[in-house]
Amino acid sequence: MFKLDEFKQLVRDFGDVADFLVVYVAEAHSTDGWSFGNNFDISEHRSLEDRLSAAQILLQNDPLCPVVVDEMSNVSAIKYAAQPERLYVLQAGKVLYKGKMGPWGYDPMEVRSVLQKMKTAHLFSISSVGVSN
């Protein structure tokens, strides 16, 4: 849940031009694996029920958007190289922004810049509707 407050601010600021979704993938720092001292007590997921249970901890911190859980085969994490975490901006099925690998490359400010450009373009296209020469 690195930089969750920054992510939540993105949802608040750009919810009018973007849909947000968190895909909960395999736990990167499980307590029975490679963990930090300040981690949540989450063991490596051995079943989908384990993963769903771990995702509940994220939901308790109210990410302000839907949370889905990756399959145990880690299809989403593999397809999007999202382990341990990564930010993406997609539009009409195309990747507009692919962030660096987290946690150190996880940069909500870069996403903010992309979404601000999208919001500005959206507002410009709305204001141009009905204007004639």
Side-chain angles (χ1 to χ4, degrees):
M1 288 187 273
F2 187 63
K3 299 186 180 180
L4 181 59
D5 289 336
E6 289 181 52
F7 176 81
K8 288 166 74 169
Q9 194 59 50
L10 288 174
V11 176
R12 285 185 200 99
D13 294 346
F14 298 101
D16 59 336
V17 294
D19 297 320
F20 290 82
L21 176 71
V22 172
V23 180
Y24 190 93
V25 297
E27 183 60 38
H29 302 292
S30 61
T31 52
D32 56 348
W34 188 63
S35 65
F36 294 110
N38 62 349
N39 260 15
F40 289 90
D41 187 13
I42 300 173
S43 297
E44 183 179 337
H45 310 143
R46 289 177 172 69
S47 67
L48 185 58
E49 290 76 24
D50 289 347
R51 193 165 286 176
L52 289 166
S53 178
Q56 287 298 316
I57 295 170
L58 174 60
L59 287 170
Q60 290 169 3
N61 286 277
D62 193 18
L64 304 180
C65 69
V67 175
V68 297
V69 176
D70 199 3
E71 297 176 10
M72 290 306 292
S73 64
N74 300 314
V75 66
S76 296
I78 292 167
K79 181 174 180 138
Y80 289 96
Q83 189 67 18
E85 59 192 352
R86 180 168 265 174
L87 293 167
Y88 277 86
V89 175
L90 307 170
Q91 186 176 46
K94 294 184 179 181
V95 175
L96 298 181
Y97 168 84
K98 176 182 174 183
K100 296 179 184 116
M101 295 288 278
W104 294 277
Y106 181 93
D107 190 353
M109 293 307 291
E110 285 184 1
V111 173
R112 174 171 290 284
S113 177
V114 171
L115 293 175
Q116 186 61 55
K117 288 176 187 171
M118 290 174 67
K119 189 171 191 170
T120 301
H122 177 73
L123 292 174
F124 177 75
S125 69
I126 290 173
S127 67
S128 297
V129 174
V131 175
S132 59
N133 292 331

